[in-house]
Amino acid sequence: MHRTTEQHGPMEIEQLYRGLDVEDTTSAVSVILKLRGETCDIDCLYCYEKRKEAPGGARVDAGQVRRLAELFAGRPLAVELHGGEPLTAGRERITEILRELAAQPSVVRVSMQTNGVLLDASWLDLFDAEYPGLQIGISLDGDAKGNAWRVGYDGRPVYPRVADALRLLAERGRRTGVIAAVTPAILGRAEAVLDHLASFEAIDAISFVPCFDTAVQRPTATAGRRLQASRQLQQAAVDGPGGPAWAISPDAYAEFVLAATTRWIQAGHFSRLKLEPAVSTIRRLRGLGSGFCHFSDLKCDHVFTLYPDGRFGSCDELPWPQAQLTRLDQTGDQAGIIAAQRRLPLLNQGKDLMNRCTTCDYRTSCGGGCIATRWRYDKAGDQDAYCDYRMRMVDGIAALLAQPAHPAGAWCRTARWRPRTPNSMRDLDSFLARWNSPDAPRPPVRLHTSAHGNINTVGRPGIHEADDLDPAHPQWRAAIEPGIRPLVDAVTNAWGLVTYDSCQGHPYTGLDLAPAERRVGILPRDRGQYADAAAALCRTVTAAAPTLPPAVQVTVGRAELQCESSGRTVPVLDLVLLPTPGHGWPAYFAAVDQATHALARAVTGERPTGAGCACPAPRTAAAQEVRT
């Protein structure tokens, strides 16, 4: 018996963006300590912190750390030492801060994000003595070429010194994560950049973050009349056409992530390296949670930033001073913080932007993304570009999970991630074994037809039990609803594939049920057959599109089917006919039979033979497919 749904309801905004609740003492908050504000010993051209143009020079002190612990008393607290460059705070001040953090029982994690230039043996000795569990993160944009924008004030690259720090960490047996900014300097070179970073023994995690900076229109302000060499480079980069020379588009970032994820899988890097945003996407596709706020419901209301002068606000990626909530010395308790959050226009705008996520097909896999980035793209009138990249990334990684030995599927823009919940079958292995064994016994089943055309065990409209049959069963044809039979016949006879579900679609006129679309579900026997079928479906849909009536469109959905007896899941494909945007259900049902026959003819004209899909792949991806 197959269980599935025929429609999906909207998700509540609280499931995507959880507000801070004083009664909730289990969810952690993250506090970014800007130990020196924007003060740094190097001058990266794309630095967002320096663009805030806040006064620097001061240092966060141990008393402020103690106050933070008091403010969030009883709640887990994750602290990140950040900057600018945190090591410029000096050994004495950092020693005091680490000792204070070690004394606070609510602090569950302490990390430091550094450019690595100042990191040496004496710093590591200090960390070992004062906070052995300190997690060190390094900022490094791949190989030497990729680090073109990370320079000193003299304009010279800092990559060699950071590479030395990574080798030192390896000598000390330490492991570190790397944050790598994706700029044009590494676009099209994902495989080489990933391999280079993986060659450092100390690196066990890589997070590729995008430089979505096309809206930056002026260089960072500087004191004095004489521009340092780094600021001259920045001036030239900002003055170029199309925005800063280091900026990339969301679509380019999606392609980079998919190329990097493909390499991560095929080169076996996944066995020792955590790769983001790939891992968080995979976890969400698997129905698991993520600690990465872009994929979690713990977004800006659970992320705070403290500056040395006492400014206290939300995530540091949001624009300041708009993101400032209060001052640390003016805050009494969490209730005051929550009240300030609810008053802050920026946070309210960000949360409102996520309302569109509640009805999105990708809401459970995407998690809503980054509020700061959504806000920037919304101001530019192009929030769709951000959503499109998130969907593109999810689609591609879903394909890689389903067919890891056939990475070309990641570049298909026809097959989309369309989970169906629940989507389960009592015993997958028995079903497939019976399908492949024509001589196996097949007892009779109950078949009843509702007044709306549903064929199931009870003869009622909506979602009800239906037995899982195969073409050798005497009641096979009677169990297939008439409207979908041409497609089922084409898939099972012409292609020789297994179907696990089918529906002719139902308008449910006069009932309190949403209309159901026409569809057929395909259960590939193995991952190789899955890859062949997905590519063939892409070619089929592309070929059939010009012959379809205007009211009907066809989609290919990637989903997973769960075996109820074993708990395992397998990838499946759903061929679905839907109303074209701008055409309602009445027009759809008037034209769906015509569309079905056109699509069935296209299916019969194709075969799942191992040929590629109809979508073009980037040149680097095509070359990699040839190598494999």
Side-chain angles (χ1 to χ4, degrees):
M1 181 190 68
H2 174 247
R3 303 174 189 271
T4 187
T5 57
E6 293 185 346
Q7 62 275 330
H8 304 282
M11 178 180 283
E12 296 294 331
I13 188 66
E14 288 75 16
Q15 295 174 270
L16 291 164
Y17 187 124
R18 198 190 320 174
L20 190 66
D21 183 355
V22 72
E23 300 297 327
D24 175 15
T25 59
T26 59
S27 60
V29 296
S30 175
V31 180
I32 302 164
L33 298 184
K34 298 286 186 179
L35 295 189
R36 293 293 307 283
E38 84 287 358
T39 300
C40 190
D41 53 330
I42 66 174
D43 199 29
C44 302
L45 274 58
Y46 54 59
C47 180
Y48 69 87
E49 191 61 48
K50 288 181 180 177
R51 288 203 297 267
K52 297 175 185 176
E53 298 172 8
R59 295 169 172 81
V60 170
D61 60 38
Q64 290 173 309
V65 173
R66 191 178 311 115
R67 178 71 190 108
L68 278 174
E70 294 169 354
L71 180 61
F72 293 106
R75 182 190 293 274
L77 190 61
V79 176
E80 182 174 4
L81 309 181
H82 208 274
E85 170 51 46
L87 295 183
T88 61
R91 286 175 171 77
E92 181 178 347
R93 180 57 55 88
I94 288 184
T95 297
E96 295 172 358
I97 289 173
L98 290 177
R99 287 177 179 173
E100 186 61 45
L101 289 168
Q104 298 298 332
S106 61
V107 174
V108 295
R109 185 178 72 251
V110 179
S111 59
M112 172 183 287
Q113 190 65 33
T114 172
N115 60 42
V117 170
L118 297 177
L119 198 63
D120 58 18
S122 62
W123 272 116
L124 295 179
D125 289 340
L126 188 154
F127 300 153
D128 288 342
E130 302 297 343
Y131 208 103
L134 178 70
Q135 299 174 9
I136 299 174
I138 300 288
S139 299
L140 185 71
D141 300 344
D143 54 13
K145 181 181 177 181
N147 281 271
W149 309 107
R150 300 186 65 81
V151 298
Y153 288 93
D154 58 2
R156 299 177 63 182
V158 299
Y159 170 84
R161 287 183 282 172
V162 184
D164 288 342
L166 287 169
R167 287 187 278 270
L168 174 62
L169 288 168
E171 291 171 8
R172 297 288 291 261
R174 275 189 170 266
R175 297 294 177 262
T176 185
V178 165
I179 293 180
V182 180
T183 70
I186 64 173
L187 287 181
R189 301 193 306 114
E191 299 87 357
V193 168
L194 182 65
D195 288 349
H196 180 78
L197 290 173
S199 70
F200 288 98
E201 182 184 347
I203 295 177
D204 64 1
I206 301 167
S207 180
F208 285 118
V209 299
C211 274
F212 291 155
D213 285 344
T214 53
V216 174
Q217 298 178 343
R218 60 188 179 89
T220 305
T222 185
R225 296 180 179 178
R226 184 179 178 182
L227 285 179
Q228 295 112 326
S230 57
R231 298 299 170 91
Q232 293 176 31
L233 291 172
Q234 188 192 55
Q235 178 76 63
V238 172
D239 287 346
W246 64 78
I248 65 169
S249 70
D251 190 62
Y253 177 62
E255 290 201 353
F256 180 91
V257 169
L258 293 178
T261 305
T262 300
R263 182 63 179 172
W264 178 66
I265 293 171
Q266 297 221 305
H269 294 320
F270 64 86
S271 64
R272 58 169 290 263
L273 287 176
K274 178 183 179 183
L275 182 68
E276 290 290 6
V279 168
S280 287
T281 304
I282 291 169
R283 289 186 62 84
R284 293 305 300 253
L285 286 169
R286 291 285 184 252
L288 303 172
S290 169
F292 190 176
C293 61
H294 294 193
F295 293 84
S296 167
D297 59 347
L298 300 182
K299 295 190 181 296
C300 299
D301 281 21
H302 286 76
V303 180
F304 299 92
T305 305
L306 174 66
Y307 283 89
D309 61 0
R311 286 173 297 144
F312 187 70
S314 192
C315 173
D316 64 337
E317 292 191 33
L318 288 165
W320 282 67
Q322 297 98 312
Q324 183 172 338
L325 293 165
T326 182
R327 297 185 63 83
L328 188 62
D329 58 1
Q330 297 173 353
T331 305
D333 52 24
Q334 286 188 66
I337 293 293
I338 293 170
Q341 287 177 331
R342 292 175 178 174
R343 290 193 303 266
L344 194 68
L346 189 64
L347 287 183
N348 290 324
Q349 293 165 12
K351 192 170 183 177
D352 286 344
L353 289 177
M354 290 193 63
N355 280 321
R356 66 188 299 177
C357 302
T358 61
T359 56
C360 176
D361 289 335
Y362 292 79
R363 57 193 181 274
T364 59
S365 51
C366 166
C370 172
I371 302 301
T373 309
R374 278 189 174 281
W375 184 86
R376 289 197 297 272
Y377 273 92
D378 184 68
K379 283 203 71 175
D382 197 18
Q383 192 178 167
D384 285 346
Y386 182 71
C387 294
D388 289 347
Y389 118 68
R390 301 281 295 180
M391 292 186 282
R392 180 77 194 91
M393 181 175 68
V394 169
D395 289 339
I397 292 178
L400 289 172
L401 286 178
Q403 52 185 84
H406 303 273
W411 307 108
C412 180
R413 292 178 179 262
T414 300
R416 312 291 297 271
W417 176 246
R418 291 292 185 270
R420 300 166 66 186
T421 306
N423 197 30
S424 65
M425 182 177 286
R426 183 170 295 160
D427 192 334
L428 270 172
D429 292 332
S430 296
F431 174 69
L432 285 173
R434 192 166 58 250
W435 192 286
N436 296 326
S437 305
D439 297 331
R442 290 168 170 81
V445 299
R446 293 173 297 161
L447 294 178
H448 298 282
T449 304
S450 78
H452 293 265
N454 309 80
I455 298 178
N456 50 48
T457 59
V458 293
R460 296 173 58 189
I463 306 164
H464 297 283
E465 293 183 6
D467 289 288
D468 302 309
L469 306 185
D470 61 274
H473 196 287
Q475 296 170 274
W476 163 256
R477 192 157 188 82
I480 307 299
E481 295 171 355
I484 195 63
R485 282 177 190 162
L487 271 183
V488 172
D489 287 345
V491 170
T492 57
N493 296 333
W495 286 15
L497 298 183
V498 176
T499 57
Y500 76 95
D501 175 50
S502 65
C503 177
Q504 72 175 9
H506 308 284
Y508 292 136
T509 304
L511 298 182
D512 189 21
L513 288 173
E517 72 278 357
R518 184 165 293 186
R519 65 172 184 265
V520 58
I522 299 171
L523 171 59
R525 294 174 174 87
D526 55 45
R527 292 184 184 274
Q529 190 178 78
Y530 177 100
D532 292 346
L537 287 171
C538 175
R539 298 193 303 270
T540 297
V541 170
T542 302
T547 69
L548 297 178
V552 181
Q553 64 177 349
V554 180
T555 67
V556 180
R558 300 185 190 271
E560 289 186 333
L561 178 66
Q562 184 176 41
C563 177
E564 295 172 5
S565 60
S566 68
R568 73 184 180 98
T569 60
V570 297
V572 293
L573 295 160
D574 294 318
L575 188 59
V576 186
L577 292 85
L578 291 167
T580 303
H583 295 77
W585 285 104
Y588 167 82
F589 281 109
V592 72
D593 285 340
Q594 177 188 345
T596 301
H597 287 288
L599 185 58
R601 287 193 295 271
V603 170
T604 304
E606 274 290 350
R607 291 294 186 275
T609 57
C613 80
C615 303
R619 283 189 300 172
T620 54
Q624 184 186 32
E625 183 72 4
V626 170
R627 289 199 303 271
T628 56

